[in-house]
């Protein structure tokens, strides 16, 4: 059998330097991007982008036709972040900066560049500080980057206690009372409830202020505000559940909401007079689109 031969490698640094010199170089370029709000022209090479990134392979399609190809407009990505993406695609390495790394991370996620995403995450966690953490947390939540989200929350909690010398739950209490939980989708509310069981931040019973003012004249009810609700399966208030100010709460068989609309109970809900709801088997009605919120 013929010997398949031995693969030998030349020096990586000169090869990487040569390819990096092609980034945004109009020489031999066959594709032009118009990038960012400033609409800056960026030159690239179609074959290299297509073989390195499925996103660009789909975007650029087949070979260009005769004549000068039309520029590809990418107005949502900042120019510096796009150039960093190109640098990584050409040289398999990238220069990251603290002030722009989150924009590069966002582009890496959107373009499906997992290796670049991991490099950005590693860099963010190393340089995380009080000026960067809130924006980093927003990016983590937006794209479902769990490890970064946990790191940001731990950072905020640790530094809040150090500066304020009070628990985060105590500091956040005035803000938590103003959260409009009724705007959350059922899945989001369930995830929040589960997280709150592990790290209590939202009180078990939360009052929605000003609900009584949303009720039509003649619909006011005595006793506790019907906007009272519990995150952990608390039974409904004696008035029979929440009106439009509530979150996702059990509803009676028929109820008039804040704007005079009638809502029906979910299938399986007990009729008025039945034992109160309890446990995770609640049949919920979400009042997100019923007005009065």
């Amino acid at each position: 059998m013929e010997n398949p031969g031995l693969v030998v490698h030349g020096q990586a640094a000169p090869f990487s330097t040569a390819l990096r010199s092609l980034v945004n170089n109009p020489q031999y370029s066959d594709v032009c991007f118009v990038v960012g709000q400033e609409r800056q022209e960026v030159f690239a090479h179609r074959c290299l982008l297509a073989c390195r990134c499925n996103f660009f392979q789909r975007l650029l399609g087949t070979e260009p036709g005769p004549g000068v190809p039309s520029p590809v407009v990418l107005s949502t990505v900042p120019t510096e972040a796009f150039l960093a993406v190109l640098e990584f695609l050409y040289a398999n390495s990238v220069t990251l900066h603290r002030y722009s790394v989150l924009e590069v991370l966002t582009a890496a996620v959107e373009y499906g560049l997992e290796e670049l995403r991991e490099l950005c995450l590693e860099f963010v966690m190393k340089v995380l500080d009080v000026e960067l953490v809130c924006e980093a947390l927003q990016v983590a939540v937006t794209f479902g980057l769990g490890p970064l989200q946990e790191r940001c929350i731990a950072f905020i909690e640790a530094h809040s206690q150090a500066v304020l010398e009070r628990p985060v739950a105590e500091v956040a209490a005035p803000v938590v009372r103003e959260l409009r939980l009724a705007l959350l989708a059922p899945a989001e509310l369930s995830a929040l409830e589960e997280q709150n069981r592990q790290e209590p931040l939202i009180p078990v019973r939360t009052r929605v202020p000003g609900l009584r003012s949303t009720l039509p004249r003649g619909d006011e009810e005595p006793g506790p505000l019907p906007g009272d609700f519990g995150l952990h399966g608390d039974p409904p208030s004696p008035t029979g559940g929440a009106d439009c100010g509530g979150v996702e709460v059990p509803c009676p068989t028929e109820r008039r909401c804040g704007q005079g609309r009638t809502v029906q109970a979910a299938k399986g809900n007990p009729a008025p007079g039945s034992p109160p709801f309890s446990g995770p088997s609640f049949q919920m009605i979400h009042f997100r689109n019923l007005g009065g919120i």
Side-chain angles (χ1 to χ4, degrees):
M1 179 181 291
E2 183 180 352
N3 191 320
L6 176 66
V7 177
V8 296
H9 299 276
Q11 295 183 359
F15 177 77
S16 177
T17 300
L19 284 179
R20 185 177 279 105
S21 69
L22 295 177
V23 175
N24 198 20
N25 188 338
Q27 186 177 20
Y28 308 122
S29 170
D30 58 357
V31 60
C32 176
F33 295 91
V34 176
V35 182
Q37 297 299 321
E38 64 276 19
R39 300 183 64 82
Q40 179 175 333
E41 287 188 339
V42 176
F43 299 95
H45 304 80
R46 181 184 299 265
C47 62
L48 196 150
L49 298 186
C51 73
R52 287 278 285 154
C53 178
N54 290 333
F55 170 84
F56 287 108
Q57 186 179 61
R58 295 190 301 268
L59 177 67
L60 299 176
T62 58
E63 301 226 359
V68 179
S70 300
V72 179
V73 179
L74 297 174
S75 59
T76 59
V77 56
T79 303
E80 185 172 354
F82 187 74
L83 289 173
V85 169
L86 291 187
E87 180 185 357
F88 175 78
L89 293 179
Y90 278 71
N92 206 39
S93 61
V94 61
T95 304
L96 297 175
H97 302 278
R98 177 189 164 281
Y99 61 85
S100 61
V101 63
L102 293 179
E103 295 171 341
V104 180
L105 173 59
T106 298
V109 173
E110 293 177 342
Y111 298 161
L113 298 171
E114 296 185 4
E115 187 176 0
L116 179 58
R117 181 193 66 185
E118 294 303 315
L119 292 174
C120 291
L121 286 173
E122 182 180 352
F123 182 84
V124 170
M125 292 186 183
K126 287 182 179 179
V127 302
L128 197 64
D129 57 19
V130 294
E131 295 181 357
L132 188 65
V133 66
C134 290
E135 188 177 355
L137 179 58
Q138 182 179 0
V139 171
V141 171
T142 300
F143 295 107
L145 305 175
L148 179 59
Q149 180 176 341
E150 294 173 3
R151 177 73 179 89
C152 290
I153 292 175
F155 183 95
I156 292 172
E157 183 174 13
H159 286 74
S160 297
Q161 290 180 347
V163 173
L164 302 173
E165 298 181 350
R166 290 189 295 165
V168 173
E170 180 182 342
V171 175
V175 178
V176 169
R177 285 196 294 269
E178 302 300 325
L179 293 179
R180 305 185 71 179
L181 300 177
L183 299 180
L184 294 179
E188 295 169 332
L189 189 61
S190 297
L192 177 62
E193 184 177 20
E194 180 60 30
Q195 183 177 352
N196 201 63
R197 287 193 182 100
Q198 301 174 8
E199 299 180 15
L201 183 64
I202 302 176
V204 174
R205 297 198 64 80
T206 304
R207 169 162 294 189
V208 179
L211 176 65
R212 195 183 304 276
S213 63
T214 70
L215 295 174
R217 186 179 301 276
D219 282 4
E220 295 85 358
E221 302 185 12
L225 282 175
D228 288 346
F229 65 90
L231 283 181
H232 300 295
D234 292 348
S237 66
T239 59
D243 287 88
C244 293
V247 178
E248 217 180 350
V249 295
C251 191
T253 303
E254 186 172 287
R255 182 77 173 167
R256 293 190 65 79
C257 272
Q259 302 301 322
R261 303 171 187 166
T262 300
V263 295
Q264 299 293 331
K267 183 178 180 181
N269 279 2
S274 301
F277 294 83
S278 62
S281 61
F282 282 0
Q283 297 292 333
M284 298 295 190
I285 288 185
H286 191 58
F287 293 114
R288 185 172 186 175
N289 299 316
L290 291 180
I293 297 178

